Amino acid sequence: MAFRGPQVWLWRWRRNPLRRRVDVVEAWVVLGAWALTVLAGVLAGLAAARSVDSGLARDRATWHQAVARVVSRVPGKSAHRPKSDAERVWAEVRWTVADGSAHTGQVRVAPGSPAGTPVTVWTDPQGHLVTRPATAAEATFRAGLLGTLVGTAAGAVPFVCGRVVRTALERRRLAHWDAEWARLGPRWGHTTG
């Protein structure tokens, strides 16, 4: 491992006879990439979290429970109450919405349910079947998770672009050093005596 010496902060902006123009450009690229990474990540993450949270809150406010009735006897044995959705079967149910119109749809019910068995369903304002809306705690978790994922993805774009530009600058700097070494290196072999 090579010894690098003490870390000097902001060395690329200080006056130094060894500092090259490419060093200053690289410093600004790194600073800009980090600033854009943080800014894009935070703004995109907050926007996504806010959007998800408001959408789920709107669903909670507009979706309502309704009591549906099984249309015809469901095949299977009704020996026990199903403990999970995997033990339930699909059946056609009918329900009435607030304006009095009747709707039908398919939901999962206990096997062997007789016709007329009440089933709780969730409907949107038009009376269509929907899933149970997320609770406030579930909505907060989803919004936070999606905000984090979107923020990370959005922040990765300027970070990767900055790394690409910095790698190109590094190659350019090394090419300059190679050219100078090719010019000055042979002189080192000559000694005065």
Side-chain angles (χ1 to χ4, degrees):
M1 180 165 101
F3 178 72
R4 295 185 65 132
Q7 178 95 17
V8 179
W9 290 97
L10 304 175
W11 69 269
R12 287 187 169 105
W13 282 287
R14 294 181 181 187
R15 292 207 178 272
N16 182 339
L18 299 177
R19 182 189 72 185
R20 299 174 184 200
R21 184 168 183 225
V22 72
D23 295 329
V24 176
V25 170
E26 182 181 356
W28 283 108
V29 165
V30 169
L31 179 66
W34 276 106
L36 286 175
T37 296
V38 171
L39 187 66
V42 168
L43 292 179
L46 288 175
R50 215 174 274 135
S51 174
V52 168
D53 195 40
S54 67
L56 294 175
R58 185 176 49 253
D59 291 346
R60 274 194 311 278
T62 58
W63 293 358
H64 301 287
Q65 280 187 342
V67 176
R69 304 266 178 206
V70 175
V71 175
S72 60
R73 184 175 185 342
V74 179
K77 296 182 180 181
S78 60
H80 67 286
R81 185 167 177 88
K83 295 175 183 157
S84 69
D85 278 346
E87 297 177 3
R88 294 178 175 266
V89 295
W90 288 100
E92 186 173 356
V93 295
R94 177 173 287 128
W95 67 96
T96 305
V97 293
D99 67 1
S101 61
H103 292 267
T104 59
Q106 295 277 324
V107 296
R108 294 176 74 90
V109 298
S113 297
T117 302
V119 178
T120 302
V121 295
W122 286 89
T123 62
D124 64 8
Q126 291 78 32
H128 302 120
L129 286 176
V130 293
T131 60
R132 179 186 61 83
T135 64
E138 291 169 341
T140 300
F141 176 75
R142 287 182 193 176
L145 181 63
L146 286 172
T148 301
L149 291 174
V150 168
T152 302
V157 172
F159 179 78
V160 169
C161 290
R163 291 297 297 172
V164 168
V165 171
R166 189 171 182 204
T167 300
L169 291 172
E170 183 74 21
R171 286 185 181 150
R172 182 176 177 184
R173 179 175 36 250
L174 291 175
H176 284 190
W177 284 357
D178 285 344
E180 285 189 34
W181 183 253
R183 187 173 56 89
L184 297 175
R187 292 185 187 172
W188 282 34
H190 301 281
T191 58
T192 57

